[in-house]
Amino acid sequence: MSEHTHGDEQNGNGVPAPRDTGGEVIRVRKGMFGANNGGDTSGYGGLVRTVTLPGASSRPYGGWFDEVADELEGALEEQDLLPENAIEKTVVDRDELTFHIAREHLVQVARTLRDDPALRFELCTGVSGVHFLGDKGRELHAVYHLRSLTHGRLIRLEVSAPDSDPHIPSLVEVYPTNDWHERETYDFFGLVFDGHPALTRIMMPDDWQGFPQRKDYPLGGIAVEYKGAQIPAPDQRRSYS
């Protein structure tokens, strides 16, 4: 993907440069390691960091990104679906192409990406959950990586849902390999994949309360002994997380 120029600039140390301004600010984090009760001995308590999601990119995206976007939009129009109703925004960031899809159109978009001869994204390598506490009204995100074996391309789909209504359509009927990936994302983030053939926990016990990888999940824990010393449970210790 060396032909693209969006988001791949680096500083002198080979580290990706900061994102351009103009993205979506969802949170301002203060301090580090979570210590906020006077227990911060690290010296990082005065840090202030803005959490920003990349905003929509404008054309031309560069290279084959425009070809994929054009073909997807045209294929949706042929199905009487306005692209702007299905694709909430298109983002080119860090030399990667992401389509943010309205959840009610996810299955149709995924099937189009799989079946259209000019697209042929035959493989979904899984779905990952993300929890953005500050992204009000769309706190939960599901991220899919789609690979075209025919054309040698990789793109990403991203779908969001609010904490109050954590439902997203299952893609198992389009990509059967997503079966256990959706179960794991449900297990850890509480995203409910409507239409999944058997949406049950896959890692945690069936009667487990809550979803452990959400950002607001309590540390909890059990006190342990280590070489005769009593170590408090994580939620009783000084906070560094």
Side-chain angles (χ1 to χ4, degrees), residues 43-219:
Y44 291 102
L47 288 178
V48 177
R49 184 170 71 88
T50 301
V51 180
T52 305
L53 299 181
S57 300
S58 54
R59 289 177 180 270
Y61 303 137
W64 56 262
F65 289 0
D66 290 280
E67 180 184 341
V68 169
D70 290 342
E71 184 61 34
L72 176 58
E73 292 174 8
L76 294 177
E77 288 177 343
E78 291 174 1
Q79 301 171 56
D80 297 322
L81 176 57
L82 292 175
E84 56 266 30
N85 291 340
I87 304 172
E88 296 176 337
K89 67 177 178 178
T90 301
V91 175
V92 177
D93 185 64
R94 301 291 192 257
D95 209 20
E96 296 177 328
L97 175 64
T98 303
F99 295 109
H100 290 250
I101 306 300
R103 55 179 171 171
E104 63 268 23
H105 298 300
L106 174 63
V107 175
Q108 184 174 355
V109 170
R111 187 178 288 111
T112 301
L113 287 164
R114 183 194 67 180
D115 295 344
D116 188 284
L119 296 169
R120 286 285 190 240
F121 287 91
E122 308 99 331
L123 176 64
C124 179
T125 59
V127 56
S128 301
V130 188
H131 188 205
F132 291 111
L133 277 174
D135 199 9
K136 300 303 182 184
R138 52 182 190 183
E139 292 86 357
L140 294 168
H141 291 233
V143 182
Y144 306 81
H145 296 269
L146 305 185
R147 183 175 293 277
S148 171
L149 304 178
T150 299
H151 302 293
R153 295 168 174 174
L154 180 67
I155 65 172
R156 182 188 291 112
L157 300 184
E158 189 163 338
V159 184
S160 62
D163 268 337
S164 58
D165 181 26
H167 290 263
I168 290 175
S170 171
L171 285 187
V172 171
E173 66 175 88
V174 181
Y175 296 110
T177 53
N178 262 23
D179 190 339
W180 284 13
H181 292 281
E182 289 183 3
R183 286 181 59 194
E184 183 177 24
T185 304
Y186 160 72
D187 195 358
F188 287 145
F189 289 91
L191 275 165
V192 179
F193 294 92
D194 295 328
H196 188 282
L199 192 63
T200 57
R201 289 191 183 273
I202 193 171
M203 302 290 285
M204 308 302 292
D206 289 340
D207 59 352
W208 192 266
Q209 299 297 312
F211 305 103
Q213 288 192 356
R214 288 198 184 190
K215 295 292 176 54
D216 54 1
Y217 186 80
L219 285 174

